[in-house]
Amino acid sequence: MEFKDYYQILGVERQADQKTVSKTFRRLARESHPDVNKKTGAEDRFKEINEAYQVLGDPQKRAKYDQIYDAYKSGRVPWQDLFGRAAGAPGGYGGPGGVTFEVGNLEDLEQIFGRGGGGFSDFFQQLFGGMGGFGGMGGFGRTATRTRERPRLESTVEVTLEDAFHGARRQIHVPELGRTFDVEIPKGVRSGQTIRLAGAVEGQDLFLRVQVAPHRYFERADDDLTIEVPITFEEAALGGQIEVPTPDGKITMTVPSGTQTGRRFRLKGLGMPHARGEGRGDLYVRVTVVTPTALTPQEREAFEELRRAQRSNPRQGLWS
């Protein structure tokens, strides 16, 4: 049976403290997580470093592993012999009852390693799996004693519409954990969607549920945006060119003559980017005709002249 040098696997010194071990594991887990790294061998590497952290990340299991590790390094005692003496023998390393294997999230680990313990090495199983080693656990799987169940780590993060439109990298503080994370905000992300930070918290995934903050001008529905734009009485009656804000700058739009308040104009492809695939949603411009107030004498005279010339009656025939 091959000896597993968990210190070498994680790339840490024998004297490394728990903080260094945890920090190194988080970095390696992010790099080799199967959902992130699609290279050949990445999944095996992820299993290997996770197994190493199951031992070195637990002070009790690490202390027992170190006894065999030191024997292996010194060469004075065949390290394999320690397995036979560890199964609860007087003075042995296991002691009565052995060591309970504490898993953080059994369901998540089973998805990666498979059920029944097939993902852990023979060395690990011998050491902690109840087969003559320190364990008494009976192997990894549903029969394992669950002494610590870690719930799914979730938090809510609020992002601006601009960040959701352009995409951004932000330092996001998670108050529940008292920590700040470097987060990549993808283009087109919507409220209710989650951003997954693989292995971000002691090797466990962190899920950030996105809430896009309300915008001062734009209303969002899926990937479409709506903006309300005021126009003057003259622009509505005579038509003309108006400036309209969009998420990536102002454009000029033509308002036809006779435009009524509440009319919507569709500007195709000027909305939010699609999170999956190419293209963008649409931008809808809803116009509101603004009635002038506090008229100057000249403006009043012009409107009086317009009223005298006006022939149509918008109420004609409504109540007849």
Side-chain angles (χ1 to χ4, degrees):
M1 179 173 53
E2 178 188 4
F3 181 87
K4 287 288 185 178
D5 188 339
Y6 291 132
Y7 290 104
Q8 185 180 58
I9 290 171
L10 281 187
V12 297
E13 298 293 332
R14 167 71 167 77
Q15 297 78 17
D17 58 20
Q18 292 300 119
K19 182 177 180 180
T20 300
V21 170
S22 296
K23 182 178 180 181
T24 303
F25 169 71
R26 288 196 300 271
R27 175 176 58 80
L28 295 175
R30 285 194 297 269
E31 293 173 356
S32 58
H33 196 286
D35 290 344
V36 177
N37 192 332
K38 303 301 183 182
K39 293 182 180 178
T40 302
E43 183 172 350
D44 291 338
R45 172 63 174 157
F46 181 80
K47 293 178 182 179
E48 188 177 50
I49 63 175
N50 191 81
E51 179 177 312
Y53 184 70
Q54 291 296 328
V55 178
L56 301 186
D58 184 309
Q60 185 181 17
K61 288 197 286 292
R62 180 177 179 179
K64 294 184 180 300
Y65 167 77
D66 282 349
Q67 297 174 66
I68 288 185
Y69 178 88
D70 291 340
Y72 168 73
K73 285 294 185 180
S74 69
R76 291 191 297 269
V77 179
W79 62 269
Q80 295 91 339
D81 291 355
L82 298 180
F83 282 107
R85 293 164 44 195
Y93 298 108
V99 177
T100 299
F101 177 47
E102 295 183 346
V103 296
N105 189 318
L106 189 60
E107 288 76 14
D108 285 351
L109 289 178
E110 285 177 341
Q111 289 177 9
I112 298 170
F113 294 111
R115 300 181 185 273
F120 289 102
S121 68
D122 290 342
F123 178 84
F124 182 96
Q125 293 285 358
Q126 281 282 80
L127 197 57
F128 298 107
M131 297 178 286
F134 294 139
M137 180 185 74
F140 177 80
R142 287 289 177 184
T143 59
T145 301
R146 302 188 198 183
T147 59
R148 184 182 66 215
E149 286 281 352
R150 289 190 295 178
R152 173 182 166 113
L153 294 180
E154 289 186 337
S155 185
T156 299
V157 55
E158 186 175 78
V159 303
T160 65
L161 187 74
E162 287 80 5
D163 283 346
F165 179 82
H166 296 286
R169 181 175 289 276
R170 293 285 182 263
Q171 293 292 313
I172 301 295
H173 181 69
V174 179
E176 295 92 336
L177 301 174
R179 293 175 55 182
T180 299
F181 299 89
D182 188 35
V183 179
E184 185 77 31
I185 301 170
K187 287 184 178 181
V189 67
R190 301 180 185 177
S191 291
Q193 293 181 331
T194 57
I195 299 174
R196 179 185 183 186
L197 304 184
V201 183
E202 306 297 333
Q204 187 174 1
D205 295 349
L206 172 62
F207 296 86
L208 300 177
R209 187 169 299 279
V210 174
Q211 181 64 46
V212 181
H215 195 270
R216 182 179 179 184
Y217 302 121
F218 298 107
E219 300 172 11
R220 183 178 183 180
D222 295 331
D223 291 336
D224 294 335
L225 296 174
T226 298
I227 185 171
E228 188 166 304
V229 177
I231 61 175
T232 66
F233 179 81
E234 296 83 8
E235 288 169 336
L238 303 176
Q241 301 281 309
I242 64 171
E243 276 192 341
V244 174
T246 75
D248 47 1
K250 293 181 179 179
I251 64 165
T252 300
M253 185 189 86
T254 299
V255 176
S257 61
T259 294
Q260 304 296 311
T261 202
R263 181 173 176 179
R264 288 205 319 166
F265 298 91
R266 177 190 178 196
L267 303 181
K268 188 175 181 180
L270 294 184
M272 297 293 292
H274 299 314
R276 300 182 183 275
E278 299 295 327
R280 290 165 56 177
D282 299 330
L283 174 64
Y284 290 90
V285 179
R286 184 173 58 237
V287 298
T288 301
V289 180
V290 178
T291 302
T293 60
L295 297 174
T296 66
Q298 292 84 0
E299 289 172 333
R300 178 171 291 278
E301 177 60 31
F303 277 108
E304 289 288 354
E305 181 63 28
L306 178 62
R307 181 161 60 180
R308 288 191 291 268
Q310 183 71 40
R311 295 182 179 180
S312 61
N313 181 355
R315 297 175 297 280
Q316 187 174 1
L318 285 180
W319 301 287
S320 58

